[in-house]
């Protein structure tokens, strides 16, 4: 039975074991009641009202449900499962249509919630196949509003308010719950068919059968009122899994964009774009609904965020994704010398790739070097499943990871690799401004303070403002921002004060003081403790843990004062001339015996993002880039330098083909025995 150009309507009403009315389906509770009645649009005759209790998997009922429906768990336990009730629905509707001499019908419900938020999600979870008739329906509130545009908004309408507006006397509410609602809805339909309104039921709302993949261009306009962010997804989730979570809602073509972290791996978030703002609003009602055993958080997002993740500009990607209705598989960890023939041979004949070599997209750096990633197109789910069985299979000497992917992920991975090399090239050489790098104190005196909980966007200027009048008691170049393993602000900073008393006073005055919208914890500590943390150790309630370079099996150079280290900073740091960075009253090399100037010299906020020479500054981050005593010099000064900037005893090496889970300790162990 088709749902277009129908001869009849089936007025449908339902209730769940939880919230009903405007919150129907928002609490993920199961359907417990279906009531319906057939209306012949030509003869304006109506059929019998059918009412069935649906037995849920859980017989627990909310207080609201008990009060409205009057049903008890004992009565529900005698009902039929949803699958059988749907079969009875189909049989009863077919019988009534046959009596009217009709062959087609379209559902008519009070709003979108019963179809979109209850029936489709629950059928999806229970792996039930709904008939085609459940993929289109008339929203009675919308149809009423077309006839009575001066009435309340569609969202604020109810069955009772529509009936009162049309002068229809509501059915006896004391009758069985659901029956009076259906009879009132039927009366509204018949009233709209009269000569007063002469309404025609055309253009029903549609529910998409499946999610359509496709590319998205950065030049495309995306309405922010149609985008949400889903958080807490299982890492192996695909776009089809996310579409299934939002089953019943219409997702735009290519509208699922899985987010990746800084290492190119999924971070459990996705941006989803819907066909309209009403669909987005319904998606927000699924906040903390479950995907398997995990609940998913749903928040509003913007069109700019979606384009940043899913938008692309590469013609190669657009051509690769132009083949519609293809299943995309991502391969990770390929040998750098792998060819298309190698990949096709690895996949084998049981999972043929769409178009052969044309169905492969190798991800490369801008200079053409392979990254070890590739995307593969398969024509159907069966082929993709066969390919996934080869997860962690061996190609050459490496095991290959395979998992489902999306068009948005293809764009995102290509954008990430094509924007810049993962390993930045070394910047231009520099010359020292000071004769010796400024050392970090290592004593046991508690003349340092630690700031914890800083906003990630906090700059040194923000810290100085936070310190207030106490900033005059900071040692020269005594502010040290702590970075995480990715070289980003960690929310911690250390400050060297001129004395133990000054440090104590700052703690008393600034502990839990607000910086922007966050309160900052301030603790007193020693120079030794500070140095340990800056070089990769940890300091917490359990005590002090040394950095990795203190492991017994390693023999690194001394690092306490960085005496043999030389820092490298980007060439664009030359914008900050010495006069802008240092106190003008202080010379680059003060005479022996001369005390430092009283004014404190700090690096500007932009200069804190430095490239560290990890061969000299051992080990790798977290470190404090503000401890570096070197600044970029003009080209003339570079030309006048008489010695190379890197220590003669050091050399840079580059490692390729590392496992994705390699950590700093693994690399240090690999070079065990070398300085």
């Amino acid at each position: 039975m088709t749902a277009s150009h129908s001869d009849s309507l089936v007025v449908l009403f339902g209730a769940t074991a939880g919230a009903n009315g405007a919150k129907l389906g928002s609490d993920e509770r199961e359907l417990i009641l279906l009531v319906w009645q057939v209306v012949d649009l030509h003869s304006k005759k109506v059929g019998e009202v059918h009412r069935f209790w649906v037995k849920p998997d859980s017989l627990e009922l909310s207080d609201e449900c008990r009060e409205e429906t009057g049903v008890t768990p004992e009565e529900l336990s005698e009902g039929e499962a949803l699958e059988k009730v749907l079969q009875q629905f189909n049989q009863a509707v077919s019988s009534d249509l046959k009596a009217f001499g009709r062959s087609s019908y379209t559902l008519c419900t009070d709003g979108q919630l019963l179809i979109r938020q209850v029936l489709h999600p629950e059928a999806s979870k229970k792996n039930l196949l709904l008939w085609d008739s459940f993929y289109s329906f008339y929203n009675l509130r919308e149809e009423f509003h077309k006839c009575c545009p001066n009435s309340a908004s569609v969202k604020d309408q109810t069955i009772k308010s529509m009936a009162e507006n049309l002068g229809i006397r509501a059915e006896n509410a004391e009758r069985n719950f659901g029956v009076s609602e259906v009879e009132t809805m039927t009366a509204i339909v018949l009233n709209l068919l009269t000569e007063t309104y002469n309404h025609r039921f055309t253009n029903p709302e549609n529910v998409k059968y499946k999610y359509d993949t496709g590319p998205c261009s950065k030049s495309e306009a995306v309405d922010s009122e149609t985008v949400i962010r889903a958080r807490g997804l299982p890492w192996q989730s695909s776009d089809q899994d996310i579409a299934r979570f939002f089953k019943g809602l219409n997702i735009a073509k290519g509208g699922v964009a899985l987010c990746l972290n800084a290492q190119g791996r999924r971070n459990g978030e996705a941006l989803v774009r819907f066909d309209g703002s009403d669909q987005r609003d319904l998606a927000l009602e699924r906040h903390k609904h479950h995907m398997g055993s995990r609940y998913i958080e749903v928040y509003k997002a913007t069109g700019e965020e979606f384009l940043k993740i899913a938008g692309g500009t590469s013609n190669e990607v657009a051509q690769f994704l132009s083949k519609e209705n293809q299943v995309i598989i991502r391969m990770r960890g390929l040998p750098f010398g792998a060819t298309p023939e190698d990949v096709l041979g690895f996949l084998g004949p049981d999972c043929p790739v769409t178009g052969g070599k044309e169905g492969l997209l190798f991800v490369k750096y801008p200079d053409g070097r392979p990254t070890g990633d590739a995307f593969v197109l398969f024509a159907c789910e069966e082929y993709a499943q066969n390919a996934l069985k080869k997860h962690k299979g061996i190609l050459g000497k490496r095991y290959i990871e395979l998992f489902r992917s999306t068009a948005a992920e293809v764009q995102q991975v290509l954008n990430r690799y094509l924007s810049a090399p993962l390993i930045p090239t070394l910047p231009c050489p520099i010359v020292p401004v000071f004769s010796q790098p400024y050392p970090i104190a290592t004593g046991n005196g508690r003349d340092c303070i630690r700031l914890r909980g800083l906003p990630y966007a906090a700059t040194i200027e923000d810290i100085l403002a936070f310190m207030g009048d106490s900033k005059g008691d900071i040692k020269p170049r005594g502010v040290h921002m702590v970075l995480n393993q990715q070289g980003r602000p960690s929310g911690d900073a250390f400050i060297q004060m001129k004395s133990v008393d000054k440090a104590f006073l700052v703690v008393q005055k600034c502990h839990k003081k607000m910086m922007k919208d966050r309160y900052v914890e301030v603790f007193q500590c020693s120079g030794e403790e500070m140095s340990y943390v800056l070089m990769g150790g940890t300091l917490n309630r359990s005590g002090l843990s040394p950095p990795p370079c203190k492991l017994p099996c390693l023999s690194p150079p001394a690092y306490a004062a960085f005496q043999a280290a030389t820092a490298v900073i980007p060439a664009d740091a030359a914008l900050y001339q010495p006069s802008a960075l240092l106190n003008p009253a202080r010379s680059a090399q003060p005479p022996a015996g001369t005390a430092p100037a009283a004014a404190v010299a700090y690096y500007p906020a932009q200069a804190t993002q430095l490239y560290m020479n990890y061969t000299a500054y051992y080990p790798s981050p977290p470190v404090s880039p503000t401890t570096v005593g070197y600044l970029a010099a003009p080209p003339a000064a570079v030309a006048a330098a008489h010695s190379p900037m890197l220590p003669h005893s050091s050399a840079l090496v580059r490692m390729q083909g590392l496992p994705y889970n390699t950590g700093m300790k693994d690399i240090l162990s690999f070079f065990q025995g070398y300085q």
Side-chain angles (χ1 to χ4, degrees):
M1 288 175 283
T2 178
S4 60
H5 306 291
S6 302
D7 302 313
S8 306
L9 296 181
V10 174
V11 178
L12 184 67
F13 179 82
T16 70
N20 291 293
K23 288 294 183 179
L24 183 70
S26 63
D27 54 4
E28 215 176 358
R29 301 298 292 273
E30 295 175 272
L31 186 74
I32 62 168
L33 176 67
L34 271 184
V35 186
W36 67 89
Q37 185 176 28
V38 175
V39 179
D40 185 355
L41 294 178
H42 297 282
S43 66
K44 300 181 179 58
K45 295 181 180 179
V46 299
E48 180 185 352
V49 177
H50 301 271
R51 182 173 184 263
F52 283 89
W53 290 111
V54 182
K55 182 180 179 180
D57 293 338
S58 172
L59 295 176
E60 182 180 354
L61 305 176
S62 69
D63 294 338
E64 177 186 353
C65 174
R66 289 173 182 268
E67 182 178 350
E68 286 185 351
T69 65
V71 69
T72 64
E74 291 73 20
E75 290 177 291
L76 273 186
S77 64
E78 298 176 359
E80 299 283 359
L82 177 60
E83 183 177 12
K84 290 187 177 181
V85 171
L86 291 177
Q87 292 174 353
Q88 292 172 333
F89 167 85
N90 190 45
Q91 294 171 359
V93 169
S94 298
S95 177
D96 289 346
L97 290 176
K98 187 176 181 180
F100 292 136
R102 305 301 177 188
S103 59
S104 64
Y105 71 92
T106 304
L107 298 177
C108 180
T109 61
D110 173 33
Q112 305 182 77
L113 301 183
L114 178 61
I115 299 295
R116 296 192 184 274
Q117 298 285 66
V118 178
L119 277 170
H120 277 281
E122 185 170 341
S124 177
K125 290 179 181 178
K126 295 181 177 180
N127 293 317
L128 302 179
L129 185 63
L130 294 176
W131 287 279
D132 291 348
S133 58
F134 285 93
Y135 285 86
S136 65
F137 65 98
Y138 289 108
N139 181 346
L140 185 58
R141 300 186 188 192
E142 289 278 4
E143 303 301 318
F144 170 80
H145 194 72
K146 293 176 183 178
C147 298
C148 305
N150 296 326
S151 61
S153 65
V154 174
K155 185 177 180 180
D156 296 330
Q157 294 287 1
T158 63
I159 297 176
K160 183 178 179 181
S161 67
M162 290 187 290
E164 291 177 351
N165 195 291
L166 295 174
I168 298 174
R169 182 178 178 182
E171 299 295 332
N172 187 0
E174 295 182 358
R175 297 185 61 181
N176 290 336
F177 177 77
V179 174
S180 60
E181 283 78 1
V182 166
E183 291 180 345
T184 302
M185 291 169 64
T186 299
I188 294 172
V189 169
L190 294 175
N191 200 289
L192 296 180
L193 295 174
T194 62
E195 295 181 357
T196 304
Y197 300 102
N198 197 27
H199 182 64
R200 302 293 181 186
F201 285 85
T202 58
N203 301 321
E205 291 190 28
N206 294 309
V207 180
K208 287 189 175 181
Y209 283 86
K210 63 178 182 178
Y211 165 67
D212 294 323
T213 61
C216 176
S217 172
K218 281 190 178 295
S219 60
E220 186 175 343
V222 178
D223 185 0
S224 293
E225 296 300 314
T226 63
V227 183
I228 62 94
R229 179 183 294 272
R231 296 178 57 185
L233 299 166
W235 70 268
Q236 70 273 28
S237 298
S238 68
D239 53 351
Q240 298 296 339
D241 295 325
I242 296 171
R244 186 173 183 178
F245 174 80
F246 289 108
K247 185 68 175 177
L249 306 181
N250 293 343
I251 299 176
K253 183 176 181 179
V256 177
L258 294 166
C259 301
L260 307 181
N261 60 18
Q263 287 73 44
R265 297 176 181 270
R266 297 174 185 174
N267 62 3
E269 296 188 8
L271 293 171
V272 185
R273 177 188 177 192
F274 294 90
D275 278 347
S277 59
D278 59 331
Q279 304 290 299
R280 193 281 305 266
D281 293 340
L282 292 177
L284 292 173
E285 292 295 328
R286 300 197 186 183
H287 179 58
K288 292 195 174 182
H289 283 203
H290 288 76
M291 180 184 288
S293 60
R294 303 185 62 164
Y295 71 83
I296 309 301
E297 301 174 53
V298 183
Y299 304 99
K300 292 182 180 180
T302 65
E304 291 77 9
E305 290 176 303
F306 182 83
L307 286 176
K308 184 178 179 181
I309 298 298
T313 57
S314 171
N315 292 330
E316 182 183 12
V317 177
Q319 184 177 1
F320 177 76
L321 297 175
S322 62
K323 302 178 180 65
E324 297 185 0
N325 301 323
Q326 299 290 311
V327 183
I328 305 175
I329 297 295
R330 181 179 178 183
M331 302 180 70
R332 193 166 59 190
L334 292 169
F336 293 133
T339 64
E341 291 77 10
D342 295 332
V343 174
L344 294 175
F346 172 80
L347 294 172
D350 56 339
C351 41
V353 177
T354 301
K357 295 181 182 179
E358 294 181 0
L360 298 177
L361 178 64
F362 288 89
V363 184
K364 299 179 180 179
Y365 290 112
D367 58 6
R369 291 177 296 113
T371 64
D373 278 28
F375 292 94
V376 189
L377 294 179
F378 294 101
C380 64
E381 184 68 29
E382 180 184 356
Y383 294 160
Q385 288 292 343
N386 291 338
L388 291 173
K389 293 177 183 177
K390 302 180 186 296
H391 177 60
K392 293 194 175 182
I394 302 298
L395 176 58
K397 295 183 179 180
R398 306 191 64 173
Y399 73 84
I400 312 301
E401 296 178 293
L402 291 93
F403 46 91
R404 290 178 174 274
S405 187
T406 68
E409 186 174 24
V410 176
Q411 296 280 21
Q412 195 177 170
V413 171
L414 266 293
N415 291 344
R416 180 184 301 274
Y417 282 116
L418 291 176
S419 59
L422 287 183
I423 303 178
T425 56
L426 286 175
C428 299
I430 57 171
V431 295
V433 174
F434 306 114
S435 58
Q436 292 290 337
Y438 196 87
I440 296 180
T442 57
N444 293 320
R446 301 177 66 79
D447 57 348
C448 300
I449 61 171
R450 180 181 187 179
L451 306 183
R452 190 168 67 187
L454 295 169
Y456 293 124
T459 64
I460 291 182
E461 284 78 3
D462 295 326
I463 293 177
L464 296 182
F466 175 80
M467 298 281 291
D469 296 338
S470 300
K471 65 183 179 182
D473 299 323
I474 302 175
K475 287 184 179 181
R477 295 173 301 282
V479 179
H480 311 286
M481 305 289 287
V482 181
L483 307 182
N484 61 20
Q485 294 288 354
Q486 287 74 45
R488 297 174 180 172
S490 65
D492 281 22
F494 285 91
I495 301 177
Q496 294 173 269
M497 305 301 294
K498 292 182 178 179
S499 67
V500 176
D501 294 338
K502 299 295 185 183
F504 177 79
L505 291 176
V506 173
V507 172
Q508 295 298 313
K509 184 175 71 172
C510 298
H511 183 54
K512 292 196 174 181
K513 179 181 173 182
M514 299 298 293
M515 179 185 293
K516 296 182 179 179
D517 58 345
R518 300 186 65 173
Y519 74 84
V520 179
E521 298 176 291
V522 184
F523 306 99
Q524 196 173 359
C525 65
S526 67
E528 181 181 11
E529 293 170 331
M530 178 185 71
S531 298
Y532 265 63
V533 175
L534 292 181
M535 293 311 301
T538 57
L539 174 63
N540 50 39
R541 295 179 180 178
S542 302
L544 190 65
S545 300
C549 57
K550 282 291 189 181
L551 295 176
C553 62
L554 301 174
S555 301
Y559 61 89
F562 304 129
Q563 293 299 327
T566 302
V568 179
I569 66 177
D572 56 10
L575 295 174
Y576 304 100
Q577 299 301 323
S579 59
L581 299 175
L582 303 177
N583 189 292
R586 178 173 179 167
S587 61
Q589 294 184 359
T594 303
V600 180
Y602 300 97
Y603 293 99
Q606 294 88 341
T608 61
Q609 300 300 321
L610 305 181
Y611 290 81
M612 302 302 296
N613 176 357
Y614 295 132
T615 302
Y617 277 83
Y618 180 83
S620 54
V623 294
S624 171
T626 58
T627 61
V628 180
Y630 294 86
L631 303 172
V638 175
H642 298 293
S643 60
M645 291 303 101
L646 292 177
H648 291 288
S649 59
S650 300
L652 293 176
V653 295
R654 182 176 186 172
M655 303 176 68
Q656 288 185 325
L658 293 171
Y660 291 106
N661 59 350
T662 299
M664 182 177 61
K665 293 182 180 179
D666 300 320
I667 296 176
L668 296 180
S669 298
F670 180 80
F671 286 110
Q672 183 175 349
Y674 292 87
Q675 288 288 342

